[in-house]
Amino acid sequence: MAKQIIHTEQAPAAIGPYSQAVRVGDTVYLSGQIPLLPGSGELVRGEIQIQARQVFSNLAAVAEAAGGGLKDIVKLNIFLTDLGHFPLVNEVMAETFAEPYPARAAIGVAALPKGAEIEMDAIMVIGDEGEASDA
């Protein structure tokens, strides 16, 4: 099955040798996003909620470029340098997603690229022909 590389200027450019996302069939693998501003590549600092919203915005831009949206995410991984932020990130996730929620893991890590405090990657399943599913 052929791989389709997904790229959008609406999300931060990759900061290494990887693609923003790769689509194989109706499954899209979204690379990790940290709270970088598209264009400038500046890292958003401040409250973890603000950082989480930026990460979700970046994921949404890549998901849209692939023909889907956040509602099509079936698996989300959240990486935090401080698991004390977990309840606050949960609040932002509840604002961002509606039931049924995607499967999720939240993982504490020692460090993230560029000194970020949060990173997320995801797996998305979209309908054939690149249209988002209603499920």
Side-chain angles (χ1 to χ4, degrees):
M1 193 171 284
K3 291 190 300 188
Q4 177 187 356
I5 303 304
I6 307 300
H7 175 77
T8 178
E9 297 295 325
Q10 304 305 310
I15 56 175
Y18 61 91
S19 301
Q20 290 173 326
V22 176
R23 179 176 178 174
V24 179
D26 61 358
T27 303
V28 182
Y29 301 89
L30 290 85
S31 291
Q33 289 287 333
I34 59 176
L36 292 176
L37 294 171
S40 73
E42 181 180 329
L43 188 66
V44 173
R45 300 275 185 192
E47 295 179 351
I48 196 68
Q49 299 97 314
I50 294 168
Q51 296 178 54
R53 286 185 188 102
Q54 184 61 52
V55 172
F56 280 126
S57 176
N58 293 345
L59 285 173
V62 176
E64 188 174 306
L70 292 179
K71 68 181 179 61
D72 299 303
I73 290 177
V74 297
K75 177 68 165 93
L76 180 70
N77 293 313
I78 301 173
F79 305 93
L80 294 165
T81 59
D82 180 351
L83 283 176
H85 292 311
F86 184 67
L88 300 172
V89 173
N90 265 345
E91 290 175 15
V92 177
M93 188 168 170
E95 295 170 5
T96 306
F97 289 89
E99 290 188 45
Y101 299 115
R104 182 187 75 184
I107 304 152
V109 297
L112 291 166
K114 295 191 172 265
E117 296 177 66
I118 185 170
E119 180 173 358
M120 296 182 212
D121 68 7
I123 299 171
M124 179 173 76
V125 177
I126 53 180
D128 293 333
E129 311 304 319
E131 294 182 17
S133 67
D134 292 329

